[in-house]
Amino acid sequence: TGLFSTVAQASLACRLNAVGRQAAATGRDRSDFAAIQELHSPPDYTFPAEAYQLVIDSRTWNPDRRTSKLVKYDDGTGLYWRTDLTEATT
């Protein structure tokens, strides 16, 4: 049916931030960046391998797996995952 029906983790502590790359962009890229939010999530959380969506404050988001990056401390310890999100339209 195309519907998502499995809750991977209902209480994942995360932060949604506006993307800070707009200043370096010009033209169409700037408007594209305006539609993206960054998700910061715990370093020990593993996102599902299959396609997934996130619901944050009643808004549904599509993560871009290609942008997922583990941000680390200088000693290599994971600090948080950073992933770009775009809001789902349907």
Side-chain angles (χ1 to χ4, degrees):
T1 64
L3 298 176
F4 291 89
S5 59
T6 303
V7 175
Q9 184 171 342
S11 61
L12 178 66
C14 61
R15 174 177 288 172
L16 196 60
N17 296 320
V19 173
R21 292 171 261 176
Q22 293 148 317
T26 58
R28 189 177 136 241
D29 290 339
R30 186 170 293 167
S31 65
D32 289 346
F33 283 137
I36 299 171
Q37 296 284 309
E38 285 183 350
L39 175 72
H40 293 185
S41 55
D44 58 347
Y45 181 70
T46 303
F47 285 106
E50 64 278 352
Y52 63 95
Q53 290 183 313
L54 301 168
V55 178
I56 302 170
D57 294 335
S58 301
R59 293 171 67 186
T60 304
W61 299 89
N62 294 317
D64 182 349
R65 291 173 185 259
R66 299 168 299 167
T67 64
S68 287
K69 177 183 179 184
L70 181 60
V71 178
K72 300 178 182 179
Y73 289 103
D74 289 337
D75 68 0
T77 305
L79 179 58
Y80 60 87
W81 282 101
R82 192 205 63 74
T83 305
D84 286 353
L85 303 176
T86 53
E87 192 163 11
T89 56
T90 57

